[in-house]
Amino acid sequence: MNLFDGGKAPNPRRVRIFLAEKGINVPIVPIDMGAMEHRGHIVTSRNPLARLPVLELDDGTVLSESVAICRYFEELQPEPVLFGRGALGKAQVEMWQRRLELNLFFPVAQAFRHIHPAMRDWEVPQVPEWGEANKQKAVDFLVLLDAELALREFAAGDAFSIADITGLVAVDFMKPARLSVPDELTNVTRWHQALKARPSASA
Amino acid sequence: MNLFDGGKAPNPRRVRIFLAEKGINVPIVPIDMGAMEHRGHIVTSRNPLARLPVLELDDGTVLSESVAICRYFEELQPEPVLFGRGALGKAQVEMWQRRLELNLFFPVAQAFRHIHPAMRDWEVPQVPEWGEANKQKAVDFLVLLDAELALREFAAGDAFSIADITGLVAVDFMKPARLSVPDELTNVTRWHQALKARPSASA
């Protein structure tokens, strides 16, 4: 089994954090996204969408999509549980994973890709007006999230989950996107600091 | 248990098709999205993101996000399996559900929301250039999907799954977004016709 990894890009990091939380070691094949190696044959022959990470199993079967790769490992090694317990717990983790992905991670990524000069060859065409609109979407969601985090320790409940991993990566990604968590959102800040302090955050 | 439903909008339809495939009946509370009722108290008190569908359990617990609601029912009633079997099967369904959602359903929705005049109050600001860019993203993905569907019957393998539900809803949503499946993509057309012919498609 090999994990074709993309270094500091946010999606590869989600999977590395997940594996660190599980205590699972997978051999890493580093791919230099800064040098656009993810658009080369090594990656596109495995994932025609030219995105990382990609997991290749020993029989050559390929899995892409960070959350799908994480779910594969959750099924192989359920503990510690990171996708929730029971029908309701699993649904709540999925709900919050999606909310954090669709309403925070994606808007932050759109702001970065459509505004940052370094992304000119990555996002064609760059549409700066769309990037700007996403800054407000991200902040609007953080306000909602702050109210939720006033009620509990983690995004989806009292246990750490993949929803928190998506949240950590999204908040950390705000810096290159030239966004910051508003000072008054103290619950978001408390939660983010706690996630950053976990050993997995440096994976 | 009540399902707050949004009529012909694509996300409410995903959940209704899923329930029809499972043979599960849930009492429906109709919400008129055309009249913007999803931004009223009935919905926002349950889902502050003001989106549908929303499932409310008998104890008042609320679930939103279509795929999370579907997973709840998958866990309650596993058969017929719609999220895959075994670690690899589940990961492959999740991979294709996400690919169809992120690379087809979302681009089609963006094209619709950022270009269609009826969406002026829904998507603020509308960014027509971003809408246009998404038309190409959707078609590019259909080309990739066509090559995959030459190899198997359904999106994620030989069995119908939630990935196909997302695909059906996405392709049907192309019409109001003023997009169409290119004639030469015969595998996509065969797959789409087969999905449309299932009784669940009219749910």
Side-chain angles (χ1 to χ4, degrees), chain A residues 54-76:
Chain A
V54 166
L55 181 70
E56 187 170 58
L57 308 186
D58 290 342
D59 69 356
T61 301
V62 166
L63 288 173
S64 71
E65 294 295 330
S66 300
V67 179
I69 293 170
C70 291
R71 188 168 309 267
Y72 178 68
F73 288 111
E74 179 87 353
E75 294 290 326
L76 286 186

Side-chain angles (χ1 to χ4, degrees), chain A residues 185-199:
Chain A
L185 303 184
T186 54
N187 299 297
V188 169
T189 300
R190 177 265 303 160
W191 166 76
H192 179 232
Q193 292 301 324
L195 299 179
K196 271 179 72 167
R198 298 171 76 92

Side-chain angles (χ1 to χ4, degrees), chain A residues 11 14 46-49 51 57 59 61-69 71-72 75-76 83 86-88 90-92 94-99 101-103 106 110 114 123-130 133 137 141 144 148, chain B residues 11 14 46-49 51 57 59 61-69 71-72 75-76 83 86-88 90-92 94-99 101-103 106 110 114 123-130 133 137 141 144 148:
Chain A
N11 273 310
R14 286 163 92 181
R46 292 171 171 85
N47 180 10
L49 290 166
R51 290 188 202 140
L57 308 186
D59 69 356
T61 301
V62 166
L63 288 173
S64 71
E65 294 295 330
S66 300
V67 179
I69 293 170
R71 188 168 309 267
Y72 178 68
E75 294 290 326
L76 286 186
F83 275 91
L88 182 59
K90 289 181 182 184
Q92 285 171 323
E94 182 126 14
M95 174 173 79
W96 279 102
Q97 199 296 120
R98 290 177 61 87
R99 282 179 165 182
E101 184 173 274
L102 304 180
N103 300 286
F106 282 8
Q110 295 294 304
H114 284 276
E123 186 69 41
V124 182
Q126 278 190 318
V127 184
E129 186 186 357
W130 171 242
K137 290 178 197 282
F141 180 76
L144 183 156
E148 296 281 339
Chain B
N11 273 310
R14 285 162 94 181
R46 292 172 171 85
N47 179 8
L49 290 166
R51 291 187 201 140
L57 308 186
D59 70 356
T61 301
V62 166
L63 288 173
S64 71
E65 293 296 330
S66 301
V67 179
I69 293 171
R71 190 171 302 273
Y72 179 68
E75 293 290 327
L76 286 187
F83 275 91
L88 182 59
K90 287 180 183 184
Q92 286 172 322
E94 181 125 13
M95 175 174 78
W96 279 102
Q97 198 297 119
R98 290 178 61 87
R99 283 178 163 182
E101 184 172 275
L102 303 180
N103 300 285
F106 282 9
Q110 295 294 303
H114 284 276
E123 187 68 42
V124 181
Q126 277 189 318
V127 185
E129 186 186 357
W130 171 242
K137 290 178 197 282
F141 180 76
L144 184 156
E148 296 281 340

